[in-house]
Amino acid sequence: MDFSWTEQQLAYRDTVIAFARKTLSDDVISRDKTGEFPHELWKACAGFGLQSLSIPKEYNASGVDTDLLTAVLAMEAMGVGCRDNGLTFALNTQMWTVQYPIYKFGTEEQKKKYLPSMCRGELIGAHSLTEPASGSDAFALQTTATPCDGGYRLNGTKSYISLGTIADVALVFATCDPAKGKWGVTGFLIDADSPGFKVSPPRDKLGLRTVPMSDLTLTDCFVPESQRLGPEGSGVSISTSCLELERCCILASQLGAMERQLDETIAYARTRRQFDQPIGKFQSVSNRVADMKLRLETARLLLY
């Protein structure tokens, strides 16, 4: 199998790295301390076309189609050029777990309503699956969607929702029929200003502080039938298909971060001198650099 890239793909990778280094190089440490989400940088990424990578040109803001591997390569490049892991995490979350399922499973009306605005950075979307009692067993949901005249009434709580505090729309998964188990799970697109939709303050975290995470509470929240994503019972298919892509792309950004850290380590080992020579000349240092390089290349092969 040929894992090589075309000249055009490698040139695009370099362009993404250059954009990230120039445009996204603000004081990440300061924002990390305060847990501040970089709205202006988010819009800059949209202007560059990053949010448009996950969906075809007829619904994105760039007017360009991008194949999946090139999109993954771009997110790897973001990890190389951008020091804010929270920002790259947030981009991947929206692109692959909100935008992509709307494109793949949504109605034409839903696609036109949400996708262009998300690609332009005007709307932010959150994927809402996890609940207090369903973590690893993700589809053992207690949030219910009860059919009513013209739509559904949703009741329940979602936990640890990335982008929850700043999202304009949430893709919420609830069960329409608990007796069917996971085959009763259904997806709904809920605008954040809907009555009965409440967002908690941001949760404190040990890392990724620049991407806010919160809980969502639904109390008799009415959702029109037109806002259901796909048919009833399709929630498992929707979530599984998009999470598979999201996990790959998030790992691509971390792969890029590994490459950046390796380059910085090598540069330091060449310039830092002890006992009248660069510390990279010492075997105990060069061994560690070699191990970092091995982990990077192994991870790259596992990803692609």
Side-chain angles (χ1 to χ4, degrees), residues 204-275:
D204 290 330
K205 304 189 296 299
L206 292 175
L208 296 177
R209 297 184 184 91
T210 57
V211 54
M213 182 178 287
S214 63
D215 297 344
L216 307 180
T217 302
L218 301 153
T219 306
D220 278 337
C221 182
F222 175 74
V223 182
E225 187 174 358
S226 61
Q227 291 291 98
R228 188 186 68 213
L229 186 64
E232 287 189 12
S234 63
V236 171
S237 297
I238 293 173
S239 188
T240 301
S241 65
C242 66
L243 286 174
E244 186 174 38
L245 290 175
E246 185 230 22
R247 295 299 186 257
C248 290
C249 289
I250 283 180
L251 291 175
S253 297
Q254 299 311 310
L255 181 70
M258 290 170 66
E259 179 178 334
R260 168 168 45 83
Q261 291 163 358
L262 175 61
D263 290 343
E264 292 174 349
T265 299
I266 292 173
Y268 183 78
R270 286 173 173 171
T271 56
R272 169 68 172 172
R273 298 180 66 87
Q274 291 288 278
F275 303 99

Side-chain angles (χ1 to χ4, degrees), residues 152-217:
Y152 301 81
R153 294 281 179 186
L154 270 66
N155 287 278
T157 300
K158 297 294 181 179
S159 299
Y160 304 105
I161 304 304
S162 299
L163 296 171
T165 58
I166 58 173
D168 302 287
V169 58
L171 172 52
V172 175
F173 293 90
T175 180
C176 291
D177 187 350
K180 292 182 179 179
K182 65 180 182 179
W183 304 117
V185 175
T186 305
F188 299 90
L189 295 167
I190 306 179
D191 294 329
D193 58 0
S194 299
F197 183 94
K198 183 179 179 181
V199 181
S200 75
R203 282 181 174 267
D204 290 330
K205 304 189 296 299
L206 292 175
L208 296 177
R209 297 184 184 91
T210 57
V211 54
M213 182 178 287
S214 63
D215 297 344
L216 307 180
T217 302

